[in-house]
Amino acid sequence: MAQSSSTNAPQQVHANLNQLMRGVLYPAANVVFSAQADNPGEIKFVPGHDPNMSTDPLTSSFGGWNAVENAALALAESANLMSISERKCSNGVPVPMTNPDWPKLVQGLRDAGKAAYAAAQAKNQDKVLDAADVMTTACANCHDKYREKPTPADRC
């Protein structure tokens, strides 16, 4: 009989918060923001272009509204990644998870992702506009407190 792997494997951190933002949150947010102006249901695939090789999520094999759903879920799930205790800021200090506002700010990201997901499921651009407002507010609340600092050493 084969041994089963542990389901309680410890979480591992491979990226600092800035890398997580640039690698996951920024691209996912851009997909949702793009859906404000360009209806994902009307995106046309380019003849001769292989959607399996597309670097644009909206024109990939899982493009259109499906890409917006996936991006929204990536944002909501990223709230979990931002809550892993070993994560560091780009300046090497721990992410401020012990600050009383951190869980609220992370929850704002989760809520924004869920709102964007609901809008994408409804295939409704007006709802995407509303969800993008929720996202913009959630991002700004955290960035204003932790990113917009004059000295890079003070940023997270």
Side-chain angles (χ1 to χ4, degrees):
M1 183 173 190
Q3 290 183 339
S4 64
S5 64
S6 173
T7 56
N8 294 325
Q11 295 177 326
Q12 297 179 5
V13 174
H14 301 283
N16 67 39
L17 187 60
N18 192 36
Q19 292 166 323
L20 180 63
M21 290 285 175
R22 290 178 180 175
V24 179
L25 282 86
Y26 182 79
N30 279 346
V31 170
V32 175
F33 289 139
S34 176
Q36 295 177 97
D38 298 321
N39 186 333
E42 297 174 0
I43 292 175
K44 304 291 185 227
F45 294 99
V46 179
H49 171 76
D50 183 357
N52 291 313
M53 300 302 292
S54 179
T55 57
D56 179 351
L58 289 164
T59 61
S60 74
S61 297
F62 303 102
W65 282 109
N66 196 13
V68 181
E69 287 182 25
N70 292 335
L73 290 171
L75 291 168
E77 289 288 345
S78 292
N80 297 328
L81 296 175
M82 293 176 66
S83 299
I84 297 174
S85 63
E86 300 302 314
R87 186 144 342 262
K88 304 277 187 206
C89 300
S90 61
N91 60 9
V93 301
V95 169
M97 286 183 225
T98 58
N99 289 11
D101 61 345
W102 186 259
K104 294 173 192 167
L105 295 170
V106 170
Q107 185 61 45
L109 170 64
R110 186 178 287 114
D111 293 344
K114 289 167 46 179
Y117 180 66
Q121 283 190 305
K123 296 175 177 44
N124 184 313
Q125 255 186 311
D126 289 333
K127 288 184 180 182
V128 169
L129 290 170
D130 294 338
D133 283 343
V134 173
M135 261 178 41
T136 298
T137 299
C139 294
N141 286 342
C142 195
H143 288 188
D144 289 348
K145 174 131 186 165
Y146 293 107
R147 189 184 78 171
E148 303 302 327
K149 304 289 183 188
T151 307
D154 295 333
R155 296 178 192 159
C156 182

